[in-house]
Amino acid sequence: MDQIATVRIRLDIAYDGTAFSGWATQPELRTVQGTLEDALRIIYRDLPESGPLLTVAGRTDAGVHATGQVAHLDLPESAWEATARGNRDDGPADALMRRLAGVLGPESDVVVTRVTEAPEGFDARFSAIWRSYEYRIADSTIAPNPLERHRTTLVRRELDLDDMNRAAEVLIGLHDFAGFCKPRPHATTIRTLQEFHWSRDEAGVFIAQVRADAFCHSMVRSLVGMCAAVGQGRLKLSRVPALLELQDRSNEFTVLAAKGLTLTAVGYPQEAELAARQTQTRAKRTAPPHLKLVE
């Protein structure tokens, strides 16, 4: 039997994670993936009624937001070409974006911000070379802002920006982040933390910018929780290097709330390097001689 020709479609996505039980589809729960796939099945009625349709760059937990999430969808070529049929003069990408907006509604908490045909070798998850997150904290010196309550975590003590940046700097580079990750069977916790620094905005909110090749489960919220503990004086800065020697997640700091976290961007290599990157990422990471793999 001849194989059906398909087209891979890239979706750029933003969402307010407050009312979602995370990205991944779960029975009886409202999720970002489930909401988008329901909308896609309304538009393309011949799609399978069960099973995942979308592959995502990074699964976010319940309450986590995104402004730069990326997913891909494989559609039959005939369905893709028919997307704009009978509508305006726009192509299938613009037509799908407009139709998704119509199904999701003008006040939806999930929005597809861009639709494009993916280049050859593209995989939203395995072709990515980095993910970037932002985390927002308001300390005791800042008056609570009710308009920011769903995307900013409050801490009760005053924070020291310089100490938080000193703590963050220690962690940059290739390390085993087992002390900052929720363990998962047969999963490595070795990551390259490419960027980690703090600043304050005009309102005085502390904002972390965190970028890595990938993140293990709850890693970002652990990293910022550690920095907050240092910034409040509850954890000594001199203790931070030792946290990278742990083989289990530390209880010396609090993993901060999901609501302060936003996935802001996903990076990909040049088109000619997409397939090679996908192959490289699918292969299990191996540790350099001075690091141990956590199985």
Side-chain angles (χ1 to χ4, degrees), residues 70 73 101 109 128 131 176 215 217 224 258 266 285:
V70 179
L73 165 74
D109 49 3
R131 285 92 170 157
D176 186 339
F215 293 93
H217 192 210
V224 297
V266 181
R285 290 182 179 89

Side-chain angles (χ1 to χ4, degrees), residues 7-11 71-75 80 96 115-118:
V7 179
R8 178 156 292 185
I9 310 304
R10 170 176 168 164
L11 305 179
H72 77 247
L73 165 74
D74 291 328
L75 280 176
W80 175 241
L96 177 54
V115 176
T116 54
E117 287 192 38

